[in-house]
Amino acid sequence: MFNLLLPIVMIAVLFMLFRSNKKRQDQAAQMRSAMEPGSGVRTIGGMYALVKAVNDETVELEIAPGVVTHFTKSAIAAVLDPQEYDGIINGRPEEDELGDDAPAEADQVEEEAGDAKPLSLDKDAPEGATGKGGADGEAPASK
């Protein structure tokens, strides 16, 4: 009984591996067929670009304004939604990142920065300006 069960389990495991691999390949092919000029993509190297042209084996990508490169279709890891691509390339507005408390926190940071003494790395600057002197309870700088 055990001699018969082991080969059946091995065949089932191989079948599942091949099936999942085939499914992944089909998804990749479907994603690549969705590429069209103007789509935002991410390459397998992590570079974001706009599709300029789709050929039989290659894709022309604009990686910077006026800079077009050629990649194989298999080098495309993902085709992005226009909003997702725009968010990655241009970033989100600063108000969205900071949240509702942003104006109050920003004002407080500006007030604190106004109270600080400017730092200087110049050797001839007065000790108070370097922040290394004996002022403000700090240890004097060693010479």
Side-chain angles (χ1 to χ4, degrees), residues 30-137:
Q30 184 180 16
M31 180 261 315
R32 288 185 192 110
S33 67
M35 279 190 298
E36 56 186 28
S39 300
V41 296
R42 182 182 72 240
T43 66
I44 58 174
M47 185 176 7
Y48 293 92
L50 280 175
V51 176
K52 283 300 185 182
V54 180
N55 304 318
D56 292 336
E57 299 287 324
T58 62
V59 179
E60 294 178 19
L61 301 179
E62 184 176 37
I63 58 174
V67 180
V68 178
T69 60
H70 296 268
F71 283 83
T72 63
K73 285 184 177 181
S74 62
I76 305 302
V79 177
L80 307 172
D81 296 325
Q83 294 85 12
E84 182 181 6
Y85 179 78
D86 187 48
I88 291 169
I89 298 301
N90 298 323
R92 295 187 321 203
E94 190 172 314
E95 298 85 32
D96 292 345
E97 290 179 2
L98 296 176
D100 296 336
D101 301 334
E105 291 175 10
D107 292 340
Q108 183 180 6
V109 170
E110 287 178 11
E111 288 174 10
E112 290 173 2
D115 296 339
K117 297 177 187 174
L119 294 178
S120 172
L121 298 176
D122 189 18
K123 289 182 180 180
D124 299 330
E127 287 187 20
T130 62
K132 294 182 180 179
D136 298 326

Side-chain angles (χ1 to χ4, degrees), residues 1-15:
M1 176 77 175
F2 180 72
N3 292 338
L4 185 60
L5 186 61
L6 186 61
I8 291 174
V9 170
M10 290 177 67
I11 290 172
V13 168
L14 286 174
F15 176 75

